[in-house]
Amino acid sequence: MGRPRTEVPRLPVPGPAEAPQPPAPAPHPTARRARRFLLPLLLTAGLVVPLAGAARPEIPAPAPAALSRLTPATLPSAYEANRADAAEAGRMAAAHGDAHRAGADRALAARSRRLLSFDGRGPGLATEVLGDLAHADRVAVLVPGSDTSLDTYARFHRAAAALYGDLGHRAPAGIRVAVVAWLGYRTPETVSTAVATPARAEQAAPGLRALVRQLHTLAPARARVSLLCHSYGSVVCARAAAGLDVDDIALVGSPGTGADTVAGLHTSARVWAARGSRDWVAHVPHVRADLLFTTVGFGPDPVSRAFGARVFDAAGADHSGYFRPGSAALANLARITLGRAPEVSRG
């Protein structure tokens, strides 16, 4: 008998279709950081937000009041019509069983309030004036961030009132001031897909541009107009900034603007930025990536040297503390509004 043969296993030879492929290029580190942070946010929001939205039915309210063209002379009648609308919205919300919204609507219907516009439907929209807009020399427009609606409007009003009080204290004799609290868009929820994308800001930008044009017809020709933009509101301001007739744009607690630098905003306004040392937004990655058919994230940090804004001091402000009475942030926002740039303490 001959020696048994040892079988040598044959390895398959790859054909043309099975030829080894070169490895795919590794994603850029910025893209990897964006995915690590943003994909969990999108997945979480995809589950949480539909459930949260389903938990509360739409709140009924009348359609906004039909107003003639606004002029300085017609402002009092516009305020009255919008107050009446807010009062009716309060009655409808109470009948619907929503006592909290009814109270918020009734507060806006008070005779002391000056509503340039009001829409009580859904989350609600409102534009409120503090001061005498028709004779104001300095006008500040507050643009809010996420989770601002008629249900949380009292918080937004407190910020506007604090700024108005500080402006009145600092304004030189003969200089009149006004603050416009603009809840003119449907803000995203903090835990949502919308808060990480520019979609809501793009929808809001035309309304903000229209408001600024309107203010220039209602206030005196000499009036300086400043945009003070908080959190996601800074994305709205950035989207509206190109060619907008404003003197200053201040970004506070900003997650980014969608622009790489101040030059990318295409504005002649002075651009300011600040972030308090206790603001959690400092931990949000300042990245921008194309994910899931949309752009997610807002790019460079507005307080970074590379962005090019005038960085001012916000001391220890947390994310909700930029308009706190007595704070460094509020004092500097008032100085910016008044056009007193040399007095702004820098960060």
Side-chain angles (χ1 to χ4, degrees):
M1 234 172 124
R3 181 184 299 175
R5 295 193 315 177
T6 302
E7 294 290 335
V8 178
R10 294 187 177 185
L11 297 175
V13 178
E18 300 172 335
Q21 300 296 314
H28 190 276
T30 297
R32 288 200 299 268
R33 289 196 301 271
R35 287 176 172 84
R36 276 201 304 270
F37 170 71
L38 296 166
L39 285 178
L41 173 63
L42 291 171
L43 293 172
T44 301
L47 294 173
V48 173
V49 174
L51 294 174
R56 184 175 190 183
E58 194 83 350
I59 301 169
L67 301 173
S68 57
R69 189 174 69 88
L70 282 177
T71 68
T74 63
L75 274 176
S77 60
Y79 294 155
E80 184 177 358
N82 286 317
R83 284 196 301 268
D85 217 29
E88 178 60 21
R91 287 189 286 270
M92 293 176 72
H96 185 67
D98 195 321
H100 180 76
R101 172 60 69 83
D105 290 336
R106 284 195 293 266
L108 283 165
R111 290 185 60 85
S112 60
R113 309 299 280 268
R114 298 176 174 182
L115 299 181
L116 201 59
S117 66
F118 177 83
D119 184 350
R121 298 172 296 182
L125 303 172
T127 303
E128 183 178 10
V129 176
L130 288 76
D132 183 357
L133 180 59
H135 297 96
D137 304 291
R138 306 286 186 269
V139 180
V141 180
L142 268 59
V143 182
S146 59
D147 291 326
T148 309
S149 66
L150 290 185
D151 292 309
T152 62
Y153 187 84
R155 179 185 64 199
F156 185 42
H157 175 76
R158 284 194 296 272
L163 177 65
Y164 181 65
D166 202 272
L167 285 169
H169 174 71
R170 295 179 189 277
I175 297 296
R176 287 171 284 196
V177 299
V179 172
V180 178
W182 183 73
L183 176 56
Y185 76 110
R186 186 165 181 166
T187 68
E189 295 175 325
T190 297
V191 182
S192 69
T193 54
V195 79
T197 76
R200 293 283 179 91
E202 290 166 356
Q203 295 164 8
L208 181 55
R209 292 191 192 103
L211 173 74
V212 171
R213 289 194 297 269
Q214 185 178 65
L215 294 178
H216 281 294
T217 68
L218 297 174
R222 65 182 180 277
R224 292 176 53 90
V225 177
S226 301
L227 298 184
L228 311 184
C229 320
H230 177 240
S231 193
Y232 189 87
S234 63
V235 187
V236 177
C237 290
R239 285 295 189 275
L244 201 62
D245 187 9
V246 295
D247 297 278
D248 293 275
I249 299 174
L251 315 171
V252 293
S254 174
T257 64
D260 291 332
T261 64
V262 165
L265 299 178
H266 304 291
T267 178
S268 59
R270 290 181 297 195
V271 178
W272 305 79
R275 186 173 61 233
S277 62
R278 294 189 295 152
D279 190 341
W280 57 259
V281 85
H283 305 294
V284 173
H286 290 283
V287 296
R288 185 170 57 246
D290 294 326
L291 300 174
L292 304 179
F293 311 107
T294 188
T295 299
V296 183
F298 305 110
D301 188 346
V303 300
S304 68
R305 183 182 297 274
F307 186 74
R310 301 177 180 217
V311 178
F312 65 93
D313 182 25
D318 59 23
H319 196 62
S320 301
Y322 293 97
F323 295 90
R324 189 163 291 140
S327 67
L330 181 64
N332 280 325
L333 288 167
R335 292 172 183 131
I336 289 167
T337 300
L338 292 170
R340 291 157 62 171
E343 299 177 21
V344 176
S345 58
R346 306 300 286 267

